[in-house]
Amino acid sequence: MSFQTPLTICEVINDVHSKKYLLPSIQREFVWGPEQITMLFDSLMRNYPINSFLFWKVPKEKASEFKFYEFLRDYHQKDNKHNPKANISGSDDVMAVLDGQQRLTSLYIALKGTYANKIAYKKWDNPLAYPKKKLYINLLGAPEDISYKYEFEFLTESEATEQDDDHHWFPVGKILDLKELSDVMDYLITSGLAANPDKEKAQCANRTLSKLHAVIHVNRIISYYLEQSAELDKVLNIFIRVNSGGTTLSYSDLLLSFATAQWETRDAREEINEFIDEINQIGRGFNISKDIVLKACLVLCDISDISFKVDNFNRTNMLLIEKEWDNITKAIRDAVTLISSFGFSRENITSNNLMIPVAYYLKTIGLPNNFETSTSRIGDRKNIKLWFVSALLKRVFSFAPDGVLKPVREIIKTQSANGFPVDAIFAQFKGTNRALQFTDDDINNLLYSKYGHGDTLVILSILYPWADLKHNFNVDHMFPKSEFTAKKLKAKGVPDSKVDDFIANHNYIGNLQLLETIPNIEKKAMDFDAWLSQKVPAGELPDYKKKHYVPNVTLDFSSFDVFLEEREKLLIKKLETELRN
């Protein structure tokens, strides 16, 4: 391995664009966020070192023995986050990147590509939640954040047009077209920046754009070492050592790297990524990661040590996982489908480890088809849901998940002849800090869940077992939320002494119900008693009250405290029935 003559960023970006540089299958995918990219560019502009790179030159006669991927060019958090497979059928040697992929991808996206990540308040399946953005630099001033010297931002085209006296957003990628310093001067003149009456602003624009030109075209910033060995074992060892510090390589990435290198008939990277994309589309959507799928592989293949250690990612285990891959994927897919039918999704599952024992059970009993709908499996599904909900609410996977997965796997392996062994699993953890049994205090504490909290929909799924939460059910305030202001409550005749308590308690689960979308829209902010009398037919009213735990009390606003107390008694009774096996 030898140190090479450094390159300019422009030279490297052109080579990435022409696919001279590729990524070996042992590399993980792009994971940097916008903040990391902007910090990289701020560092470059400040002449801070960005560490050296490590490239691997693979002779063309050896290249076909390995798998390579192209750099990601336009990142989209939902629809385009996987690297495309590279075609290496040409006659040239392959130059692969062993260390520096995140930095090179960030440089390429910033200079030639786009970045589309989800807007925080929009739903993950909304196409408008992922606006396409490019990297811009403000030529007229410094950012408010004093940890940065230069103001880089990912902006949409419309955002970038919002210029003022303190902002001129220059698309960073345009610097590739300004090859000579004279081109920079021409841009400053034609854009009017050079003629800015504020001389300090004009000078700032000149210094900033000239500096960016030097960083991209002039300074030889990309220092790199070149490894020319074609021995995979040696390259793997170098790769692991280079990526052993910090957070540059997770265990799941390492496992996937080994699987990709050692599977014989499948492409592990493509198989696993495609499978993850598929299962995350089930029902209302999930957020299952490589970590969960790869951990499930260890569990479902009955590998004795399921911890994420390099020793467990040996060739024997990887080939076993490859052999069992079809059964593993069916088990996980069926488990996710079943959990979705219970009403769960990415929105209300706090640990995806919960799915692994369900998948292991389905694999143990022979992967029956249509498990989630078969009438012969009703009792089994009830027991699985009891365990799932109890483990979810009790947070049994909140630390050291292997301490749950291993004993539960052993119980399922030896005691599943008569169905899902929920009693044995509950007995296993009784009296420990992972106890699944619910005491009176535990059940009472569930009533303190509020609208919008993660556990609330879980609890409502227990209270409404008849509701198919895969479809359009909404969490609704029985006594409408909008009416809980001091002014409105007093206007409804609520005594001053009760107003604060009413406001404090209206968001608790005692005032929440599940309604289908259309009735929920119709209800809007109608008072609960008025809505019942106007929208629920008299003949259906007794059944409605039973299904929604409506107590036989006065339902006007002035009696909200009585309603809440009596309804909570009904909810506790139902929770005791459902959560105690």
Side-chain angles (χ1 to χ4, degrees), residues 471-528:
H471 299 98
N472 296 321
F473 274 86
N474 302 98
V475 179
D476 170 69
H477 288 79
M478 303 175 88
F479 284 70
K481 179 181 180 180
S482 61
E483 301 302 299
F484 283 89
T485 67
K487 182 179 180 179
K488 290 183 178 180
L489 290 174
K490 290 176 183 178
K492 292 178 182 293
V494 177
D496 290 349
S497 60
K498 291 185 176 184
V499 167
D500 288 344
D501 284 341
F502 279 25
I503 293 174
N505 292 320
H506 78 282
N507 262 334
Y508 286 119
I509 206 162
N511 187 38
L512 302 179
Q513 64 177 342
L514 285 181
L515 276 185
E516 290 178 294
T517 299
I518 293 177
N520 186 52
I521 293 172
E522 291 175 344
K523 183 173 179 290
K524 292 184 179 179
M526 288 181 66
D527 285 0
F528 188 47

Side-chain angles (χ1 to χ4, degrees), residues 70-87:
E70 296 178 14
F71 275 81
L72 200 61
R73 295 166 183 254
D74 293 287
Y75 176 83
H76 190 289
Q77 189 177 0
K78 179 173 179 288
D79 296 331
N80 191 42
K81 57 183 180 180
H82 300 314
N83 299 78
K85 184 182 287 188
N87 181 353

Side-chain angles (χ1 to χ4, degrees), residues 38-74:
T38 56
M39 183 172 288
L40 172 65
F41 271 81
D42 186 70
S43 297
L44 291 167
M45 294 284 284
R46 298 168 80 169
N47 296 323
Y48 290 175
I50 61 168
N51 296 328
S52 59
F53 295 74
L54 176 58
F55 298 159
W56 173 30
K57 186 177 182 180
V58 187
K60 56 180 177 292
E61 62 271 14
K62 283 282 189 178
S64 60
E65 298 179 14
F66 309 104
K67 294 184 178 71
F68 297 94
Y69 292 82
E70 296 178 14
F71 275 81
L72 200 61
R73 295 166 183 254
D74 293 287

Side-chain angles (χ1 to χ4, degrees), residues 60 76 155 169 218 223 273 286 415 430 511 513 542 575:
K60 56 180 177 292
H76 190 289
L155 303 171
W169 292 111
V218 180
S223 301
N273 284 333
F286 288 83
Q415 301 186 46
K430 188 174 183 179
N511 187 38
Q513 64 177 342
L575 290 171

